[in-house]
Amino acid sequence: LLQSNYKVVVLDNLVNSSESSIRRVEEISGRRIEFFKGDIRDYNFLDGVFSSQKFDAVLHFAGLKAVGEAINEPIKYYENNVLGSIQLFKVMQKYNTKSIIFSSSATVYGNSNNSPLKEDMPTGIPTNPYGRSKLVIENILADLYVSDPQWCITSLRYFNPVGAHKSGLIGEDPRGLPNNLLPFISQTAVGIHEKMFVFGNDYDTPDGTGIRDYIHVMDLASGHIRALEKYISKGGVHTINLGTGIGHSVLEVIHAFETVSAKTIPYDIIDRRPGDVGVCYADPSKANLELDWVANRGLIEMCKDTWRWQSQKLLL
Ligand code: UD1
């Protein structure tokens, strides 16, 4: 956003992040960021921020996303993701900021659709409270538009975001044991874990391991800029997949990471993880056509940038 000359204000409660990443974004972009520490569930906090200046649009990333945690602590997920979103939408309505880009997820397709997944497929029943919270928020947004067509709503359904900024200064830094594949691989490569576990090799895929549509976070970022440019004042409800359209298996990802890091990643194959599907990848043609956007960074670049971030991070 900064590199595209937008003025940016960041709100974050820092539960799963650190203010130093904001400072590093300033370093990369050479621009100042106005930052407010606070919680999206806190209406008065949001009201204070919105009363201080006028916003053209909101990019709403403020959600928890760990599936295992969501199953153990559903209230926390519904409170943060759903209640927090409602507070945000209320404040946006009050201050007449009615353009929003919402971070949704491929999880809203549920388990019953076959890949490639297309936006006009019926949403399924997500397998966990995290996924259900994303679907509820998409539905709330669609209802808001019905109630008031001044709203301009874009739900971007992310597939599997990975990678890091080229500088190696900003990237994913999950607290505790990572749930997702790439952070687990990269932490194993630097020796934080002795080995990793591959969840099942009996799927109906060429090597038996699960296939996903990994998308470089920088491609994901450019997808947001395109969506903002295209829809900011257009009105309507827009739902767009952000994926590459290409699936990679768990073993392919491990081997690509071994190649770029020149490390051996020890792994054991264990049972399937409950709730996992064998194959999940996007049909990204709507984003290609409507946003004139393609994800053009491949698996090797995703692994290289993750590796640069992971190996450099120890020194920061
Ligand atoms: C998961 C969530 C999804 C969420 C996304 C981003 C589920 C069912 N889905 O997607 O809702 O939007 O994270 O946070 O949890 N794998 C291993 N070993 C590991 C970790 C993963 O073999 O240690 C495998 C998985 O079985 C899967 C693939 O790697 O085949 C990707 O897993 P992961 O990174 O957790 O993403 P998803 O499960 O696709």
Side-chain angles (χ1 to χ4, degrees):
L1 286 166
L2 293 167
Q3 280 166 352
S4 303
N5 272 328
Y6 287 94
K7 185 176 172 234
V8 176
V9 173
V10 174
L11 280 66
D12 197 331
N13 64 0
L14 302 179
V15 294
N16 199 19
S17 54
S18 135
E19 205 173 332
S20 62
S21 1
I22 295 170
R23 302 299 153 230
R24 290 187 210 152
V25 173
E26 289 181 329
E27 195 182 323
I28 292 165
S29 64
R31 303 228 352 233
R32 279 271 310 141
I33 297 174
E34 196 174 344
F35 172 60
F36 292 91
K37 181 169 185 266
D39 197 297
I40 193 177
R41 291 165 296 175
D42 180 350
Y43 183 86
N44 293 331
F45 162 68
L46 295 174
D47 194 89
V49 176
F50 276 73
S51 64
S52 71
Q53 54 204 298
K54 172 79 183 132
F55 295 98
D56 298 311
V58 170
L59 282 83
H60 173 24
F61 306 103
L64 299 173
K65 69 163 192 74
V67 173
E69 183 186 57
I71 292 168
N72 292 325
E73 298 178 71
I75 302 277
K76 180 170 163 183
Y77 272 67
Y78 289 116
E79 194 172 55
N80 268 280
N81 295 4
V82 180
L83 182 64
S85 296
I86 289 173
Q87 304 294 34
L88 174 65
F89 305 156
K90 274 178 9 200
V91 172
M92 289 177 69
Q93 203 160 32
K94 176 172 173 190
Y95 289 94
N96 210 26
T97 298
K98 292 182 178 167
S99 265
I100 182 161
I101 295 191
F102 169 59
S103 304
S104 189
S105 164
T107 190
V108 301
Y109 290 108
N111 278 353
S112 45
N113 291 301
N114 287 327
S115 292
L117 297 165
K118 280 181 79 76
E119 294 85 346
D120 57 6
M121 286 175 167
T123 49
I125 301 173
T127 51
N128 57 74
Y130 154 74
R132 285 191 279 275
S133 76
K134 290 284 171 190
L135 187 53
V136 170
I137 301 163
E138 276 201 13
N139 290 335
I140 294 172
L141 284 167
D143 288 339
L144 266 181
Y145 177 71
V146 172
S147 74
D148 174 0
Q150 281 182 353
W151 278 92
C152 177
I153 284 152
T154 307
S155 290
L156 298 178
R157 293 181 176 162
Y158 304 171
F159 279 69
N160 289 60
V162 298
H165 190 265
K166 271 254 167 300
S167 61
L169 287 173
I170 47 172
E172 191 176 5
D173 188 13
R175 298 217 170 134
L177 207 60
N179 301 281
N180 297 115
L181 180 65
L182 248 292
F184 215 105
I185 293 179
S186 61
Q187 290 190 1
T188 307
V190 290
I192 295 173
H193 313 291
E194 204 178 290
K195 63 179 171 190
M196 56 166 300
F197 300 98
V198 173
F199 301 142
N201 67 347
D202 56 352
Y203 287 106
D204 187 15
T205 62
D207 65 21
T209 64
I211 288 183
R212 294 290 182 276
D213 185 338
Y214 298 94
I215 172 169
H216 196 296
V217 69
M218 295 304 292
D219 281 326
L220 200 75
S222 71
H224 287 70
I225 306 287
R226 288 296 167 88
L228 198 58
E229 284 165 354
K230 173 95 188 195
Y231 301 132
I232 193 166
S233 51
K234 208 173 173 208
V237 179
H238 310 277
T239 306
I240 300 277
N241 284 341
L242 290 183
T244 63
I246 299 165
H248 293 289
S249 74
V250 176
L251 292 181
E252 270 183 88
V253 179
I254 293 176
H255 294 141
F257 206 92
E258 288 183 324
T259 305
V260 308
S261 63
K263 301 268 181 194
T264 303
I265 318 268
Y267 63 85
D268 283 348
I269 294 179
I270 60 169
D271 284 348
R272 293 179 178 196
R273 181 172 63 179
D276 270 356
V277 289
V279 179
C280 174
Y281 62 93
D283 176 339
S285 51
K286 190 172 175 194
N288 302 159
L289 288 171
E290 280 202 17
L291 303 182
D292 190 22
W293 169 91
V294 280
N296 44 33
R297 295 165 177 87
L299 181 61
I300 291 291
E301 192 168 351
M302 298 179 206
C303 292
K304 267 189 188 158
D305 292 341
T306 305
W307 178 234
R308 186 181 302 109
W309 155 247
Q310 180 72 60
S311 38
Q312 228 168 269
K313 193 160 65 79
L314 296 173
L315 308 172
L316 289 169

